[in-house]
Amino acid sequence: MDQPHRWRHMASAPKNGDRILITIRPSEQGPSQVDLACWSKGDQYGSEGWRASDSSPGRIIEYSEPELKCWMPMPSANTDGLAMPAPWEGDDARELDGSGI
């Protein structure tokens, strides 16, 4: 991870329970958004998959793979810009990770 603060393909997202930033695809419910999520193994609350529990207090949100566009590691606490990054708005496969250059 030579450039930790860049968007990456969801296929490379860690499925070890680490929290990551994700870009949610635009839909009829609204434009692209960024959320904090982690991969969760199946439990009494649902099957395994991407979950966000920090979006709405007391609510667990489950995302299906097609809903998610890309991911980014959590920024470290000692960075200057602690604001949430903008959602990825580029073409899905051609521009992520610099592959469209």
Side-chain angles (χ1 to χ4, degrees):
M1 289 194 205
D2 55 336
Q3 295 177 333
H5 303 295
R6 64 178 167 83
W7 291 110
R8 303 154 192 235
H9 291 279
M10 281 305 296
S12 67
K15 292 186 174 179
N16 59 5
D18 287 351
R19 290 180 175 191
I20 60 173
L21 297 176
I22 54 172
T23 291
I24 305 161
R25 294 180 186 280
S27 69
E28 64 277 354
Q29 291 144 350
S32 293
Q33 295 182 14
V34 173
D35 202 354
L36 177 67
C38 67
W39 181 262
S40 177
K41 295 183 180 179
D43 58 17
Q44 70 268 27
Y45 299 110
S47 59
E48 72 177 3
W50 293 105
R51 292 187 186 168
S53 59
D54 299 331
S55 301
S56 300
R59 237 179 116 199
I60 296 174
I61 297 171
E62 293 186 20
Y63 293 110
S64 64
E65 292 281 342
E67 288 180 278
L68 306 179
K69 202 170 198 179
C70 52
W71 75 281
M72 177 188 298
M74 288 292 297
S76 61
N78 59 1
T79 60
D80 292 334
L82 292 178
M84 186 73 79
W88 174 258
E89 297 291 348
D91 290 335
D92 290 345
R94 295 191 313 234
E95 296 179 27
L96 276 171
D97 294 327
S99 59
I101 298 174

